[in-house]
């Protein structure tokens, strides 16, 4: 056997994602580079590690066992690195965070200062849908989760980070709908929703239900970015978190439409299982957030104040 740490890391990511494409994205490598290293790793074993069924990649039973061993080996390598830093008096270890898709516009600003203070900390941040975030939390796969709606079935502790404001937005060139949406004509406008289970979807549906607005034309998409692109293309209107559309509003490609009952206000919550035993890194991060969150909000998100806080 003559495999390298790089090959082990690549096989680990491929096995976790069951996808060369997703592994390459997380590793910031090209797909051909990942494929070549995966093949080089496979060539050292007489039994297949993966198989493709219906154009989807799966681990074989042997591959699953190798994946467990690879995970153990890499954890030992990381532990060696952390111990070296700890003996030098530095905070070291992994910080694992699972973030709902719209949270990717928030969480990095609460991490950058901490990571600068502690270069020995390795960050693992997974951006995914709400159900996967809650699953990671429940399975103790992460230290923290960032959500706007707390899971009712779990006993969790939380730190409120900042408010999340959702507005009705549309392109100046919406196709075949009211150019100035109001509560009276919103039922005639095509509306673009996130998928079922999304906190943004729930907030939008509650707004419409409370005002007894029946949707005549509904479009459903599975990511915040997909919704944004559809709205930009003029396919319809949507109620979206302001945090993810700042730049396209500034350029005029999207317009905020003031309306009574908007913005919808929720909170971004840094959440963890109440029974969680913090590592030194997780403990340090929670203390950092408590001490610095107001300063981060004032310096990074003051632009929120440019938009109406309520419509009477």
């Amino acid at each position: 056997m003559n495999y390298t740490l790089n090959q082990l890391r690549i096989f680990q990511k491929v096995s976790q994602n069951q996808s060369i494409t997703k592994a390459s994205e997380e590793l910031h490598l090209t797909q051909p580079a990942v494929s070549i290293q995966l093949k080089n790793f496979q060539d050292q074993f007489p039994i297949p590690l993966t198989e493709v069924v219906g154009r989807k990649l799966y681990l074989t039973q042997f591959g699953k066992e190798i994946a467990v061993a690879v995970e153990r080996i890499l954890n030992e390598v990381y532990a060696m690195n952390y111990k070296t830093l700890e003996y030098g008096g530095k905070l070291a270890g992994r910080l694992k965070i699972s973030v709902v898709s719209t949270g990717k516009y928030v969480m990095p600003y609460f991490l950058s200062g901490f990571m600068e203070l502690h270069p020995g900390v390795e960050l693992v941040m997974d951006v995914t849908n709400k159900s996967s975030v809650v699953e990671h939390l429940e399975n103790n796969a992460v230290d923290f989760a960032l959500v706007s709606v707390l899971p009712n079935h779990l006993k969790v502790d939380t730190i409120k980070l900042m408010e999340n404001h959702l507005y009705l937005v549309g392109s100046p060139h919406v196709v075949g709908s009211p150019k100035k949406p109001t509560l009276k004509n919103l039922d005639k406008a095509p509306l673009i929703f996130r998928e079922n289970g999304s906190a943004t979807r729930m907030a939008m549906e509650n707004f419409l239900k409370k005002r007894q607005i029946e949707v005549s034309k509904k479009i459903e998409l599975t990511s915040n970015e997909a919704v944004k692109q559809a709205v930009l293309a003029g396919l319809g209107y949507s109620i979206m978190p302001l945090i993810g559309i700042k730049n396209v509003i500034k350029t005029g490609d999207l317009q905020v439409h003031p309306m009574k009952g908007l913005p919808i206000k929720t909170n971004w919550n840094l959440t963890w299982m109440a029974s969680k035993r913090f590592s030194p890194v997780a403990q340090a991060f929670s203390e950092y957030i408590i001490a610095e969150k107001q300063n981060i909000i004032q310096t990074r998100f003051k632009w929120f104040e440019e938009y109406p806080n309520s419509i009477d």
Side-chain angles (χ1 to χ4, degrees):
M1 295 291 179
N2 193 31
Y3 39 75
T4 65
L5 284 176
N6 187 43
Q7 289 172 356
L8 294 180
R9 292 189 183 99
I10 285 174
F11 180 69
Q12 180 192 47
K13 286 298 181 184
V14 170
S15 65
Q16 288 173 346
N17 291 286
Q18 294 193 39
S19 166
I20 291 175
T21 300
K22 291 181 180 178
S24 65
E25 290 173 355
E26 291 189 14
L27 292 165
H28 304 291
L29 296 171
T30 64
Q31 291 184 41
V34 170
S35 296
I36 290 169
Q37 291 303 316
L38 181 63
K39 182 180 184 302
N40 290 341
F41 187 61
Q42 171 65 80
D43 287 346
Q44 299 179 69
F45 299 94
I47 304 171
L49 298 170
T50 62
E51 58 184 348
V52 177
V53 179
R55 300 182 66 184
K56 183 171 176 60
L57 184 144
Y58 295 91
L59 293 182
T60 63
Q61 184 57 44
F62 178 67
K64 292 177 182 178
E65 293 183 19
I66 294 299
V68 171
V70 165
E71 185 80 20
R72 185 166 57 247
I73 292 168
L74 289 176
N75 284 338
E76 290 297 326
V77 171
Y78 295 138
M80 289 168 59
N81 294 336
Y82 301 151
K83 287 296 181 185
T84 302
L85 290 168
E86 287 172 359
Y87 270 91
K90 298 178 180 179
L91 183 68
R94 274 185 174 181
L95 180 63
K96 291 186 176 183
I97 303 178
S98 191
V99 177
V100 293
S101 58
T102 48
K104 66 186 176 186
Y105 303 108
V106 175
M107 199 67 237
Y109 295 102
F110 289 89
L111 285 162
S112 57
F114 179 78
M115 298 302 293
E116 184 178 3
L117 285 172
H118 304 291
V121 172
E122 179 192 358
L123 173 65
V124 180
M125 189 172 81
D126 182 33
V127 180
T128 184
N129 57 50
K130 179 190 170 187
S131 60
S132 293
V133 170
V134 173
E135 183 180 345
H136 292 161
L137 193 65
E138 189 171 12
N139 294 339
N140 198 32
V142 294
D143 298 305
F144 300 100
L146 183 70
V147 294
S148 57
V149 177
L150 297 173
N152 292 327
H153 66 291
L154 298 180
K155 189 174 182 181
V156 298
D157 289 328
T158 186
I159 299 173
K160 288 185 178 180
L161 288 192
M162 59 178 284
E163 284 190 341
N164 180 29
H165 294 180
L166 296 92
Y167 291 84
L168 181 73
V169 296
S171 164
H173 311 291
V174 180
V175 178
S177 67
K179 300 303 179 185
K180 290 186 178 181
T182 65
L183 285 176
K184 291 184 178 180
N185 65 20
L186 196 58
D187 61 333
K188 299 179 178 64
L191 296 179
I192 305 172
F193 291 76
R194 284 286 304 275
E195 76 283 2
N196 279 321
S198 160
T200 301
R201 165 77 171 252
M202 291 168 58
M204 186 170 174
E205 287 182 333
N206 288 339
F207 172 82
L208 296 170
K209 182 178 180 181
K210 186 175 180 180
R211 286 150 187 86
Q212 299 181 329
I213 296 172
E214 295 290 336
V215 181
S216 59
K217 185 176 181 181
K218 178 187 292 187
I219 301 171
E220 181 177 309
L221 299 172
T222 57
S223 74
N224 199 64
E225 185 61 27
V227 171
K228 182 171 77 173
Q229 293 303 321
V231 176
L232 281 168
L235 290 177
Y237 298 95
S238 188
I239 293 177
M240 300 187 67
L242 183 66
I243 192 72
I245 53 177
K246 173 187 176 183
N247 292 337
V248 286
I249 290 175
K250 292 285 188 183
T251 61
D253 293 319
L254 282 188
Q255 297 175 339
V256 172
H257 295 281
M259 189 171 290
K260 188 174 181 179
L262 295 177
I264 300 168
K265 297 178 184 179
T266 60
N267 279 287
W268 291 111
N269 301 289
L270 189 68
T271 306
W272 63 95
M273 295 296 290
S275 57
K276 179 78 175 177
R277 295 185 63 182
F278 278 162
S279 67
V281 170
Q283 182 64 42
F285 182 63
S286 67
E287 292 171 359
Y288 170 84
I289 290 297
I290 292 170
E292 295 294 331
K293 71 171 186 175
Q294 289 304 325
N295 180 53
I296 294 169
I297 292 169
Q298 283 299 310
T299 56
R300 297 290 194 169
F301 299 101
K302 191 174 178 60
W303 59 270
F304 264 44
E305 298 173 6
E306 298 175 20
Y307 298 91
N309 204 31
S310 64
I311 302 294
D312 297 325

